[in-house]
Amino acid sequence: MSLKKDEIKGMIQKKRNLWMWGLLGIVVLLFFMYDNPIKAQLGRFMGVVSPFIVGIVIAYLLSRPSDIIESFFRRSNHAFIAKKARVLSVLLLYVGLITGIVMIAQFALPVIVTNIIDFSSHIYDFYLQFMDTLYYQDYPTWLESILTTETIDAIMQALSIESIIRSIGNYAPTLVLTIINLSSGIINLFISLIFSIYMLVYKKNVLGFVKRVAHVFMPEKRLSQVSMYIGKSSAIFYRFIFAQFVDACILGTLATLMLTLFGVQYAILFGVFLGFCNMIPYFGSMIGSILTTIITIFTGGPQLALLTGVGLLILQQIDGNFIGPRIMGDSLNINPMLIIVSITIGGAYFGVVGMFVSVPLSAIIKLFVDDFLDYKERNLKN
């Protein structure tokens, strides 16, 4: 009889906890939906601590490479090197990163900057060439019914110099604020880098403190479950970030070689751009290819643009069916529908960063949901 009472009490307690977490979720949702003084102060506080948050993210991304380097130093026969393995690993890692950045800035960056300056200086020529092509081009019969004289005039008016200057004038205050934010962002980035170094050097101390706090507020069984999920989530993030970076480098290199072979102007600039776009899953390479093809219409004409579009489409298929799966494998194991939904939601709320992070986040959520369903199904069978 007492066992049944305990079971009833446990069920009541679970329902209370469920209602409590549901009510807390509604309060948090309403808090972020509507403006209030606390929310404004919280936003200001997040702005102040953002360099330290970025520093933690940088330290997290560099944690595994640092651990690998440290393991080599630990096996050294020299007592000093083995004792200072952590500091030396962090030092060597950052020296390597800075050296890599300097080499890129010395060899690749000047070519990219030259392409950007040259492209910017010829924008007006490309604009005139496009307007002439638009107005005097002989179109096929089926296209003439769409591109009537009124339609062309409307397009030319929308793309006129006066309209473009007016649009730039409307965005001038935003541009000034962006420049100011960029200046403060450089300072914040320096603070983040310094903080990330300290986080990596004192990683064991920080993790030890976090574990002590967790032991105080969590039972041992719950703590082991949380640690397991944190480990799985971290593995998913690392696999995804590494795979996306390698895939972007491969695609950017292949795109640069292909565009150079086609004789596309600014091939290196487009290759780097396509590599960055490919970091955004599913939609990134598509958007990058479309923009590259459109710009090639201005710089190389319709025929070269058509060749570029077809070539990039074939390259996308090769990457999506052969290169990407070989690098990523089935590590995320996400349905394409879930990828599309997660990227759309992440992009709508958090922009480009949201589009990038949404895929591994959805994989982690799927991991939790699958484990929860497995747990419920086992209970139903028993």
Side-chain angles (χ1 to χ4, degrees):
M1 190 71 178
S2 60
L3 182 62
K4 289 184 178 179
K5 286 183 179 180
D6 291 339
E7 289 178 353
I8 292 171
K9 286 181 180 179
M11 291 174 63
I12 294 173
Q13 186 62 39
K14 286 182 178 178
K15 287 184 178 180
R16 284 178 180 174
N17 291 339
L18 185 63
W19 278 103
M20 182 183 70
W21 283 109
L23 183 62
L24 181 63
I26 293 171
V27 171
V28 172
L29 183 64
L30 292 173
F31 174 79
F32 283 103
M33 284 178 63
Y34 299 100
D35 293 332
N36 54 77
I38 300 176
K39 182 181 175 181
Q41 291 300 320
L42 181 62
R44 185 179 177 184
F45 174 75
M46 291 301 294
V48 172
V49 300
S50 60
F52 305 107
I53 296 173
V54 174
I56 292 172
V57 172
I58 294 172
Y60 167 75
L61 294 175
L62 298 179
S63 176
R64 287 198 178 182
S66 176
D67 291 341
I68 294 171
I69 299 171
E70 183 184 2
S71 65
F72 284 106
F73 284 128
R74 291 285 181 195
R75 293 196 292 267
S76 175
N77 295 326
H78 297 279
F80 177 79
I81 294 176
K83 185 179 179 181
K84 300 293 182 180
R86 189 67 196 170
V87 177
L88 291 173
S89 67
V90 174
L91 180 63
L92 182 62
L93 180 63
Y94 274 84
V95 168
L97 284 175
I98 293 171
T99 303
I101 293 170
V102 169
M103 289 180 66
I104 292 172
Q106 185 175 357
F107 296 106
L109 197 60
V111 179
I112 297 171
V113 171
T114 302
N115 278 329
I116 293 173
I117 294 172
D118 188 59
F119 177 75
S120 302
S121 63
H122 287 88
I123 283 180
Y124 185 66
D125 297 331
F126 298 145
Y127 167 80
L128 292 177
Q129 181 182 346
F130 173 72
M131 298 300 276
D132 288 340
T133 303
L134 183 66
Y135 199 76
Y136 297 108
Q137 178 73 29
D138 292 330
Y139 298 104
T141 306
W142 63 272
L143 194 57
E144 285 183 353
S145 60
I146 301 173
L147 289 175
T148 60
T149 305
E150 292 79 10
T151 305
I152 294 174
D153 288 340
I155 295 173
M156 292 185 72
Q157 185 177 359
L159 295 175
S160 64
I161 296 297
E162 293 81 5
S163 177
I164 294 172
I165 291 173
R166 196 183 307 115
S167 300
I168 293 173
N170 293 334
Y171 287 102
T174 307
L175 183 62
V176 172
L177 288 175
T178 303
I179 294 171
I180 295 172
N181 291 333
L182 183 63
S183 302
S184 61
I186 293 172
I187 298 172
N188 289 339
L189 180 60
F190 179 75
I191 296 172
S192 300
L193 288 173
I194 298 299
F195 187 71
S196 68
I197 293 173
Y198 279 101
M199 285 292 295
L200 285 173
V201 171
Y202 297 104
K203 175 184 173 181
K204 291 182 179 179
N205 302 70
V206 174
L207 291 179
F209 176 76
V210 172
K211 286 180 181 178
R212 285 184 61 191
V213 173
H215 271 295
V216 171
F217 291 98
M218 282 188 193
E220 189 65 34
K221 185 178 179 181
R222 181 63 55 85
L223 182 60
S224 64
Q225 289 178 340
V226 171
S227 300
M228 179 192 68
Y229 279 116
I230 289 175
K232 288 184 176 180
S233 302
S234 179
I236 289 173
F237 261 101
Y238 263 104
R239 272 201 305 267
F240 176 78
I241 292 170
F242 176 76
Q244 285 296 111
F245 177 74
V246 172
D247 189 35
C249 291
I250 293 173
L251 183 76
T253 303
L254 292 176
T256 302
L257 294 173
M258 186 186 70
L259 295 176
T260 303
L261 185 65
F262 288 169
V264 175
Q265 201 172 2
Y266 314 116
I268 297 177
L269 179 62
F270 287 144
V272 174
F273 173 68
L274 288 164
F276 274 112
C277 288
N278 198 57
M279 294 288 288
I280 301 172
Y282 222 81
F283 295 115
S285 59
M286 189 188 306
I287 295 170
S289 299
I290 292 172
L291 290 175
T292 301
T293 304
I294 291 173
I295 296 173
T296 307
I297 295 175
F298 304 148
T299 59
Q303 291 183 348
L304 184 58
L306 179 62
L307 180 63
T308 299
V310 173
L312 290 176
L313 179 62
I314 294 172
L315 188 60
Q316 280 182 26
Q317 297 305 312
I318 294 172
D319 178 66
N321 293 292
F322 298 101
I323 300 174
R326 283 295 182 91
I327 298 171
M328 181 70 73
D330 297 325
S331 56
L332 294 183
N333 193 22
I334 308 179
N335 189 286
M337 271 197 314
L338 182 59
I339 293 177
I340 293 172
V341 171
S342 61
I343 289 174
T344 303
I345 296 174
Y349 282 95
F350 303 103
V352 176
V353 176
M355 294 176 75
F356 176 73
V357 177
S358 60
V359 176
L361 277 179
S362 61
I364 292 168
I365 294 171
K366 182 178 178 294
L367 172 68
F368 292 144
V369 172
D370 285 342
D371 285 356
F372 176 76
L373 292 176
D374 290 341
Y375 170 76
K376 285 295 182 182
E377 286 171 354
R378 284 198 301 270
N379 286 347
L380 288 174
K381 288 179 181 179
N382 296 332

